[in-house]
Amino acid sequence: MIYDFYHRGDDTFYYRLLSLLEKKIPAKILEISRIRNEVYLVKTNQFWMILKGYNSYQKLKIQEAFTRALKQEGFTHTYQFYVFDDEPIIIDEMLFGMIEYISPHKDSFTYSSKGNRREALQLLEHYYTVTERLVEIYKYILPSFLLMKKLEQRLVEFRSNKSIIEHYLKMEIVEEIFEWANISFLYIQEHNEYLHSKSNVILHGDVAHHNFMRDINNKLYLIDFDLISIGPRVGDYLQFANRILPNIGWSLQQLQKMSGYSQLFKEEWFLIALMYPTDILREWNRIIRNKHLSNDFLLKQVLDLTTDQYEKRKKFYQKLRQIVDI
């Protein structure tokens, strides 16, 4: 029996998927349900698994090999791929990988608690210790971490959207956001050698809270390696800081006390890089690019992101500027 909880509008897709799975999986399929775009939960009479779509054979095989290498090197806090034979499942030019299902904890993982933030950082450090040993194997397979390119693209797109954004925000707020972004970007651009002076690991690339999950036994897992790249730890630490700062009230002192950050606070590059308002630029660019400004719910989200803690963010950036004297 097949249940589609998120109707796709193409029933034949499920019958094609079922037919292919029945040929590959040594178990009876009981149910297939869509979780989100190109991600499905498959229940059999023996086990459950996640079916995830990839747009190229290379990407799928990199994910299979990388997660297997993590386990072999002692990182057991992630999933494995099932590979029942060498031929992937292909439907509508999308290739599907079969991923081990982790029974989730009743409570979703968030960055709202100090304990969760601490445990996430500990898990990331364990991940880097392992991936540091894998860099030589993957340095010709994975892309390099290109922070400058990402920051420049966001800033250019945000600048092109300025006239639209000013319909929703006060002009002085938009100008301040530009000032923060420009100061940070120009400094990083002039000191790009900083990243090349650091030892490399395999960066996760998306350390948002939803890429950590607890299982039913409270074990914390790191998941979703679609954005892995070769670069120094600071790339993920910078992103992690941006993700948790709203949860700690933009407190410079709390961030500095966290594991891994006390040393980074001694480096001018990191402090100035923290000034780049990456979340604001990312979300305004996304809502405009996707033409979702008419969606009141999404618009409120991006407005709240920009304004709710704006004064705390402003004081945080002012303190950073005082420390580095710019």
Side-chain angles (χ1 to χ4, degrees):
M1 298 177 66
I2 304 176
Y3 301 91
D4 177 14
F5 295 113
Y6 298 84
H7 186 61
R8 181 185 171 92
D10 179 10
D11 292 337
T12 61
F13 172 87
Y14 283 91
Y15 292 107
R16 292 157 67 196
L17 181 57
L18 176 62
S19 177
L20 289 169
L21 286 172
E22 286 178 333
K23 295 175 183 176
K24 289 182 176 293
I25 298 176
K28 182 181 179 181
I29 298 169
L30 303 176
E31 182 179 325
I32 303 173
S33 57
R34 181 171 177 252
I35 299 173
R36 59 181 185 275
N37 285 343
E38 313 305 346
V39 180
Y40 300 85
L41 172 62
V42 178
K43 300 178 182 180
T44 78
N45 62 341
Q46 296 181 31
F47 55 87
W48 292 10
M49 69 179 186
I50 299 294
L51 204 65
K52 182 174 180 179
Y54 296 88
N55 58 20
S56 78
Y57 183 77
Q58 181 185 28
K59 287 182 179 179
L60 170 58
K61 288 302 170 184
I62 287 173
Q63 292 296 308
E64 290 177 353
F66 180 66
T67 51
R68 185 166 58 247
L70 286 177
K71 285 286 180 81
Q72 290 171 346
E73 290 293 327
F75 188 81
T76 62
H77 294 254
T78 194
Y79 48 67
Q80 291 261 255
F81 278 75
Y82 294 113
V83 183
F84 295 111
D85 57 46
D86 293 332
E87 293 298 321
I89 294 172
I90 305 174
I91 301 178
D92 299 335
E93 299 183 355
M94 182 68 66
L95 294 86
F96 288 90
M98 295 177 280
I99 301 172
E100 170 190 3
Y101 177 79
I102 300 168
S103 297
H105 195 274
K106 62 181 179 63
D107 298 322
S108 297
F109 183 89
T110 71
Y111 286 147
S112 59
S113 81
K114 184 177 180 180
N116 278 2
R117 296 190 294 268
R118 180 175 60 247
E119 195 173 352
L121 279 173
Q122 291 172 346
L123 186 56
L124 281 175
E125 191 53 45
H126 178 29
Y127 168 78
Y128 300 139
T129 300
V130 169
T131 63
E132 199 168 25
R133 302 195 295 267
L134 297 173
V135 167
E136 283 302 308
I137 298 172
Y138 282 91
K139 67 181 181 181
Y140 300 115
I141 300 171
L142 297 178
S144 297
F145 175 61
L146 299 175
L147 179 65
M148 280 302 307
K149 183 178 180 181
K150 180 193 293 185
L151 298 185
E152 184 173 20
Q153 286 174 342
R154 283 187 179 166
L155 185 54
V156 168
E157 188 175 359
F158 191 78
R159 187 177 290 117
S160 70
N161 290 328
K162 182 180 178 183
S163 61
I164 300 173
I165 296 167
E166 286 178 341
H167 285 293
Y168 301 92
L169 296 174
K170 294 179 180 179
M171 189 178 298
E172 54 266 32
I173 290 180
V174 179
E175 292 299 332
E176 277 191 316
I177 293 170
F178 269 114
E179 182 182 9
W180 300 332
N182 281 321
I183 289 172
S184 183
F185 175 76
L186 290 174
Y187 180 92
I188 294 170
Q189 189 177 48
E190 292 172 5
H191 298 82
N192 201 33
E193 72 284 353
Y194 170 86
L195 291 175
H196 301 298
S197 69
K198 304 295 180 182
S199 61
N200 286 332
V201 296
I202 298 178
L203 296 172
H204 182 275
D206 187 6
V207 290
H209 68 88
H210 55 255
N211 285 328
F212 292 89
M213 70 166 289
R214 291 194 187 281
D215 72 1
I216 197 169
N217 297 313
N218 213 37
K219 180 177 178 179
L220 189 62
Y221 286 76
L222 182 62
I223 62 174
D224 196 350
F225 302 96
D226 292 355
L227 298 179
I228 53 177
S229 64
I230 305 292
R233 287 172 172 81
V234 69
D236 275 350
Y237 273 110
L238 186 61
Q239 187 186 97
F240 188 87
N242 286 316
R243 293 286 185 177
I244 67 165
L245 278 166
N247 296 101
I248 61 174
W250 292 86
S251 169
L252 200 65
Q253 291 74 22
Q254 285 192 52
L255 181 63
Q256 190 172 6
K257 290 177 182 177
M258 296 183 70
S259 175
Y261 284 94
S262 57
Q263 186 60 41
L264 287 173
F265 266 72
K266 298 175 184 178
E267 303 186 23
E268 186 176 81
W269 186 98
F270 177 75
L271 295 175
I272 297 177
L274 267 182
M275 286 181 58
Y276 191 93
T278 188
D279 54 339
I280 291 178
L281 270 60
R282 180 187 66 235
E283 296 308 320
W284 276 106
N285 288 340
R286 178 182 295 163
I287 196 172
I288 294 171
R289 187 189 317 124
N290 294 337
K291 300 180 180 179
H292 286 160
L293 285 170
S294 59
N295 185 315
D296 291 340
F297 175 76
L298 295 178
L299 179 59
K300 185 179 186 304
Q301 281 189 323
V302 74
L303 283 170
D304 289 348
L305 169 72
T306 309
T307 60
D308 274 5
Q309 296 191 17
Y310 191 79
E311 291 303 317
K312 290 181 179 179
R313 184 194 292 259
K314 185 175 179 178
K315 289 178 181 178
F316 178 83
Y317 290 161
Q318 287 172 341
K319 288 179 182 178
L320 289 176
R321 293 184 71 168
Q322 291 170 1
I323 293 171
V324 297
D325 193 26
I326 58 171

